[in-house]
Amino acid sequence: MNLVLDRPVQTARKTVLVVDDHPLMRQGLALLINQQQDMHVCGEAEEAQAAMQAIARLHPDIMILDISLSGPDGLDLLKNIRTTNPDLPVLVLSMHDEAIYAERALRARANGYIMKQEATEKVLVAVRRILNGEIYLSDRMSNKMLQRYVGGAPSMIQSRIASLSDRELEVFRLIGEGRATREIAEELHLSVKTVETYQAHIKEKLALRSGRELIQHAIQWKINEKSA
């Protein structure tokens, strides 16, 4: 289902488009942002097609984008946006571990990444910094990236997971959430055979010997991600 909720435009304030498939999250962000004197939510969307339509119609100053959407995920949407709206500032907001996803988001030309677990005030800080032309990452992620550049090596498992393509990582995440192959295919609008091919690539890259090991590994990764 497509969903776009337009709000009255107030020209003195920066306009924000919120793209998230959770209504309560959208409502919470809209309530927070609309209380500010320098910005307001001009529209909302819950999936990729509605988001692209909203961008074309509303021309927002910035977009807040969740990675996990129904259908094409946020990273796929971001890559599509960059072909048509290369200069639109985008803040990626996600529940997923920034150690895995933040760099992927930046490679897809996001302007910042923030986890949903962060304090709500941080979202406002991130939006304002991005509108000011800066890149926003949490202090923890900024430090991790700096440590890597000065010689700190990632763990073996982090290195192997980082080797997965964006689509392979999305399949891996869904396996960790307990989804069967056919469910993953339906969620990502792919054929079952294509998903099985991705699963084979994941097993090879993570040095796993069986589908059972793949499931166990993915579930453990999801547990670790939630407790990080």
Side-chain angles (χ1 to χ4, degrees):
M1 178 184 70
N2 291 351
L3 173 64
V4 178
L5 301 177
D6 299 345
R7 300 175 186 274
V9 175
Q10 303 176 35
T11 56
R13 300 155 78 187
K14 294 294 185 180
T15 56
V16 183
L17 173 64
V18 177
V19 181
D20 194 298
D21 63 351
H22 294 92
L24 290 179
M25 191 67 194
R26 293 197 305 271
Q27 293 169 13
L29 285 171
L31 180 62
L32 174 69
I33 292 168
N34 288 337
Q35 291 174 345
Q36 310 307 306
Q37 295 183 346
D38 57 341
M39 66 181 81
H40 77 106
V41 172
C42 65
E44 303 173 13
E46 68 176 4
E47 48 81 40
Q49 182 180 357
M52 294 297 290
Q53 292 171 350
I55 291 169
R57 183 174 63 260
L58 301 172
H59 306 288
D61 292 306
I62 187 171
M63 181 172 72
I64 298 177
L65 172 65
D66 186 18
I67 281 183
S68 298
L69 302 176
S70 177
D73 68 12
L75 291 181
D76 283 340
L77 173 58
L78 179 55
K79 292 169 187 175
N80 289 336
I81 288 169
R82 287 301 175 232
T83 65
T84 57
N85 297 270
D87 299 322
L88 173 63
V90 177
L91 170 64
V92 172
L93 177 68
S94 176
M95 63 179 287
H96 300 306
D97 185 3
E98 62 184 349
I100 298 295
Y101 284 91
E103 286 190 68
R104 292 172 184 268
L106 293 180
R107 285 199 299 267
R109 296 172 59 195
N111 300 86
Y113 188 100
I114 187 170
M115 293 184 67
K116 290 183 177 180
Q117 295 90 325
E118 294 275 2
T120 53
E121 294 81 4
K122 292 289 184 67
V123 175
L124 299 176
V125 170
V127 168
R128 290 188 175 107
R129 286 190 185 177
I130 290 172
L131 286 171
N132 198 39
E134 301 177 37
I135 298 292
Y136 182 87
L137 289 173
S138 71
D139 292 340
R140 184 179 71 166
M141 190 61 202
S142 296
N143 288 334
K144 281 185 178 181
M145 294 182 72
L146 286 172
Q147 289 171 2
R148 188 177 308 165
Y149 285 127
V150 297
S155 67
M156 177 64 74
I157 185 58
Q158 289 287 356
S159 178
R160 285 177 175 173
I161 291 177
S163 73
L164 300 180
S165 70
D166 291 341
R167 182 60 82 191
E168 288 165 355
L169 184 60
E170 183 72 359
V171 170
F172 187 63
R173 179 181 66 80
L174 292 172
I175 293 171
E177 293 177 0
R179 308 288 187 88
T181 300
R182 186 168 296 279
E183 292 176 311
I184 295 172
E186 292 174 357
E187 173 79 13
L188 301 181
H189 303 297
L190 300 171
S191 70
V192 170
K193 186 170 183 178
T194 298
V195 173
E196 290 173 343
T197 299
Y198 282 127
Q199 291 171 339
H201 291 166
I202 295 167
K203 284 190 291 184
E204 181 179 354
K205 290 182 178 181
L206 300 186
L208 303 173
R209 293 169 295 182
S210 67
R212 189 174 193 176
E213 280 193 3
L214 173 59
I215 293 171
Q216 292 172 340
H217 205 75
I219 291 173
Q220 186 59 53
W221 178 71
K222 284 295 298 182
I223 292 172
N224 293 342
E225 185 184 37
K226 288 180 180 179
S227 62

